[in-house]
Amino acid sequence: MSLHRFYPVFDDVRWLERMVPLGVKLVQLRIKDRPMDDVRAQIKAAQALCSEHGATLVVNDYWQLAIEAECDWLHLGQEDLDDADLGAIREAGLKLGVSTHDNDELDRVLAFKPDYVALGPVYPTILKKMKWHQQGLEKVTEWKKLIGDVPLVAIGGMSVERAPGAFDAGADIVAAVTDITLKDDPEARVREWLEVCA
């Protein structure tokens, strides 16, 4: 698998400017509720930064802007799938990661032949309100059996301390958000992540 095992998710390119130079090789830019010109500028800046450091940038949601910026990866949530032009996304050569939370969603997503599947929340998450309760590590193992060679991303309540358990359960990649952004020293936390995911 070519994707790195540590997958931080940030809501602003300024986070990428701090973290990517530390050795982050896979990162998602997940911008919400910002003017389109700002989103476009951030995606372009993130793409340039990741290219400079040999990192893989995944753009969340904004598939038209990802195509425009000639990005390599896109992440879509279930709602995003309803509005996205999957034909145009594939034609542009974008690789696709998709969020899943239950078996119906997984069945739907596998029909699109995704390049990774994300399962969450593995643990309770404070990032956003969800109708799903924590999935647990057993679900990670179950999902991995169902998707086979497709890389599996564990997300939701993940921490440095919980990462080894997720890998043992079958996750190929572990995504983190607040375990980095809410720390007093986010850079030190990212270094810990890089160590545990090496």
Side-chain angles (χ1 to χ4, degrees), residues 100-102 117-122 135-136 139-140 143 152-156:
T100 62
H101 311 87
D102 60 35
V117 169
L119 169 66
V122 176
Q135 307 278 8
K139 194 78 166 271
V140 173
W143 245 230
L152 176 62
V153 178
I155 189 167

Side-chain angles (χ1 to χ4, degrees), residues 1-185:
M1 188 187 63
S2 58
L3 294 174
H4 195 270
R5 300 193 333 148
F6 170 47
Y7 185 17
V9 178
F10 297 118
D11 64 2
D12 193 286
V13 72
R14 286 173 293 193
W15 278 107
L16 277 73
E17 288 164 356
R18 290 171 63 180
M19 302 305 169
V20 169
L22 299 178
V24 169
K25 293 301 176 191
L26 174 63
V27 64
Q28 184 182 128
L29 183 61
R30 181 182 181 273
I31 302 172
K32 298 290 176 186
D33 305 319
R34 299 286 276 279
M36 199 59 75
D37 286 347
D38 182 37
V39 176
R40 178 181 282 109
Q42 288 208 38
I43 289 172
K44 285 183 178 171
Q47 177 74 332
L49 177 75
C50 288
S51 295
E52 180 187 340
H53 290 277
T56 299
L57 172 67
V58 182
V59 174
N60 183 294
D61 192 10
Y62 292 96
W63 61 270
Q64 299 101 322
L65 296 183
I67 292 172
E68 182 185 305
E70 299 181 355
C71 294
D72 296 317
W73 279 86
L74 178 70
H75 180 94
L76 294 177
Q78 289 290 318
E79 303 81 14
D80 305 324
L81 280 171
D82 296 333
D83 305 321
D85 184 339
L86 291 168
I89 288 164
R90 289 305 193 188
E91 198 174 306
L94 277 166
K95 291 186 169 67
L96 179 64
V98 188
S99 298
T100 62
H101 311 87
D102 60 35
N103 289 83
D104 288 342
E105 290 183 355
L106 182 61
D107 289 344
R108 177 191 188 201
V109 162
L110 290 178
F112 299 132
K113 299 196 173 2
D115 297 285
Y116 75 67
V117 169
L119 169 66
V122 176
Y123 291 97
T125 176
I126 59 172
L127 187 64
K128 56 183 178 179
K129 291 270 185 238
M130 287 190 157
K131 64 181 180 184
W132 297 275
H133 298 294
Q134 70 182 70
Q135 307 278 8
L137 294 178
E138 301 80 14
K139 194 78 166 271
V140 173
T141 303
E142 178 191 332
W143 245 230
K144 189 57 192 172
K145 286 178 183 161
L146 291 170
I147 68 175
D149 293 337
V150 179
L152 176 62
V153 178
I155 189 167
M158 298 307 304
S159 65
V160 168
E161 294 77 18
R162 288 170 169 170
F167 288 129
D168 289 346
D172 300 292
I173 300 164
V174 174
V177 186
T178 56
D179 188 60
I180 300 164
T181 57
L182 296 184
K183 295 293 181 194
D184 291 335
D185 188 344

